[in-house]
Amino acid sequence: MARERTLSDQAFEQFPQALVIVDREATVLSLNPVAERLTGWARGDAVGRPAADILEVRTETGVNLCAPNGALRRALRLGTRINTHFAYLFRLRTSDDPVRVSYSVSPLLLKGKTPDGAVVVIHDVTPELETIEARDALMLAASHELKTPLTTLKGLSELLLDFDLSEAQRRELLQDLHGQADRMEQLIGDILSVSRIDSGRISVDFSRVDVASVVQHVCDEVRPMLKGRTLKCRVPEELPAVMGEARKLHQILVNLVNNAIKYSEPGTQITLSARGDRSAVRFEVSDQGVGIRKEHMPRLFEKFYRADDPAVRRTPGTGLGLYIVRSLVMMLGGQVHVRSRPGKGTVFIITLPRAEATARSRPRVAVGA
């Protein structure tokens, strides 16, 4: 019996959701550590108080958990379990914003059919709601960004089909078609990358990476996108390898150079450089573009964030590129920093661990962001 009580007590203390036990008068008898953290009430202060003092929980329609017509009183009166989804828990003691929760109230029957008390189980649904909101935001951004190139593709294809055009005109339209298709391909790639990052379905195959070859590949790939801008690639002859994955390093650098192209005017210069030191290889992507104001810096790498700046808003984008860059850099064990002057340009700095000459390749491991 003592062992069973000990196990029961441990289960109560370690239960992953907030538990509050009340008597038939809705007076608090006990609460577990999760409930203490969620409500802001310590157990010693809460026990003996009316549940209404510590559980200010209201549904979206405004019904209070502890009100006369609320779920707690009804469960105690009727002896039936009541579940409610998506309510608000107000932590008045800590003056925090309300927490989105779901809860259930289960009557406790010790003798007879009349409840002797009830247990209130409260679940913080904030993480689930954030996931849903992120998914909805991703779908909204994707549909919005895909609509523009699709409309352009449709219009260009109609011109090609319906009009007699010179060879030069046809070639110009086909180049525009190719550019819009590239834009759609990049957007879809970004959406897939974010989905894999957020779900932890990205793996890293650590090995020695020849930095010079990756940088050269990046420069060759982005040159057709420059459209009047110049690109300088600076890589010393004796550049050490990094420990990472070539494909992810390539994706990081392409995203940063494309970002520099988007926010730079024709006639300006973009530079991609790499240099090594004793412990790391440092990559820099610099431009002479619109720059980033100081107040936007803290949120620069957030998913979907785009600065409220006319120079930024007039450029198509979803706000996913820098989020992907930071996530991949962290997976490779590196760091990312940024310097910028509005109207003068921006420099993104990536540092990745240098691979020692005798280092063994690490096994392929799954990584979650």
Side-chain angles (χ1 to χ4, degrees):
M1 189 71 179
R3 182 174 179 273
E4 291 177 358
R5 183 174 296 279
T6 300
L7 289 174
S8 176
D9 291 342
Q10 287 184 0
F12 180 78
E13 294 295 318
Q14 299 176 15
F15 197 73
Q17 297 176 9
L19 299 177
V20 180
I21 298 177
V22 301
D23 63 16
R24 67 178 63 189
E25 302 300 328
T27 301
V28 175
L29 298 177
S30 186
L31 65 165
N32 70 348
V34 177
E36 289 183 293
R37 291 193 297 271
L38 194 60
T39 64
W41 280 84
R43 185 178 308 179
D45 295 332
V47 171
R49 287 180 174 271
D53 286 357
I54 69 168
L55 291 177
E56 180 70 16
V57 183
R58 303 175 201 163
T59 64
E60 292 179 315
T61 58
V63 177
N64 195 316
L65 166 67
C66 300
N69 63 334
L72 179 57
R73 292 290 184 179
R74 283 189 286 126
L76 289 170
R77 184 170 63 250
L78 303 174
T80 57
R81 177 173 177 171
I82 298 173
N83 297 318
T84 301
H85 300 286
F86 302 128
Y88 296 92
L89 168 65
F90 293 83
R91 295 182 291 184
L92 304 180
R93 263 197 155 192
T94 54
S95 69
D96 290 331
D97 292 332
V99 181
R100 293 297 299 272
V101 298
S102 64
Y103 65 80
S104 65
V105 183
S106 300
L108 299 175
L109 302 173
L110 299 180
K111 296 178 181 179
K113 297 182 180 181
T114 302
D116 296 284
V119 58
V120 182
V121 183
I122 303 174
H123 175 53
D124 182 356
V125 298
T126 303
E128 289 92 333
L129 289 177
E130 288 177 348
T131 299
I132 293 170
E133 290 167 359
R135 182 196 64 198
D136 292 346
L138 183 61
M139 294 300 295
L140 180 63
S143 60
H144 177 75
E145 289 299 319
L146 282 170
K147 186 175 181 179
T148 300
L150 279 173
T151 301
T152 304
L153 285 170
K154 185 177 180 181
L156 292 172
S157 62
E158 288 174 351
L159 287 174
L160 286 167
L161 290 169
D162 297 341
F163 293 90
D164 291 328
L165 304 171
S166 67
E167 183 60 29
Q169 289 173 321
R170 290 176 65 86
R171 185 170 184 81
E172 183 179 354
L173 288 176
L174 287 170
Q175 286 177 337
D176 288 342
L177 279 168
H178 188 266
Q180 293 299 329
D182 279 345
R183 178 179 168 187
M184 290 180 64
E185 183 179 33
Q186 182 179 350
L187 173 62
I188 292 169
D190 284 349
I191 292 170
L192 291 174
S193 293
V194 168
S195 175
R196 294 188 186 106
I197 288 168
D198 288 350
S199 63
R201 291 184 290 110
I202 282 191
S203 60
V204 180
D205 189 4
F206 283 99
S207 61
R208 290 172 57 83
V209 177
D210 179 4
V211 172
S213 64
V214 173
V215 171
Q216 187 58 53
H217 186 199
V218 170
C219 291
D220 292 340
E221 181 177 321
V222 300
R223 286 191 194 282
M225 309 172 194
L226 291 173
K227 296 183 179 180
R229 303 160 186 84
T230 59
L231 174 65
K232 283 192 175 182
C233 293
R234 296 175 178 171
V235 180
E237 292 184 4
E238 298 297 327
L239 187 62
V242 298
M243 184 59 70
E245 185 178 326
R247 290 179 60 185
K248 289 181 173 54
L249 175 58
H250 177 272
Q251 186 176 359
I252 290 166
L253 297 179
V254 166
N255 267 346
L256 289 178
V257 175
N258 279 336
N259 200 65
I261 293 171
K262 283 169 59 176
Y263 298 108
S264 300
E265 294 295 330
T268 59
Q269 178 176 297
I270 296 165
T271 302
L272 169 57
S273 63
R275 59 183 174 85
D277 59 28
R278 298 179 65 178
S279 62
V281 175
R282 177 187 176 101
F283 302 85
E284 292 191 5
V285 177
S286 61
D287 63 56
Q288 299 169 334
V290 298
I292 305 162
R293 295 205 302 267
K294 185 176 180 180
E295 61 266 29
H296 298 308
M297 287 289 196
R299 301 189 60 191
L300 196 60
F301 294 97
E302 289 183 13
K303 192 193 311 180
F304 302 117
Y305 181 73
R306 302 194 74 214
D308 189 13
D309 187 310
V312 173
R313 292 293 177 178
R314 67 170 173 256
T315 304
T318 59
L320 297 177
L322 293 180
Y323 172 79
I324 293 170
V325 165
R326 185 190 62 174
S327 299
L328 294 180
V329 169
M330 292 175 64
M331 289 179 187
L332 297 179
Q335 295 181 322
V336 56
H337 303 282
V338 59
R339 300 195 310 265
S340 188
R341 293 175 61 195
K344 299 294 183 180
T346 302
V347 182
F348 284 92
I349 304 111
I350 305 292
T351 56
L352 294 179
R354 175 174 170 169
E356 299 298 331
T358 57
R360 295 181 179 179
S361 295
R362 302 185 199 178
R364 185 180 179 87
V365 294
V367 178

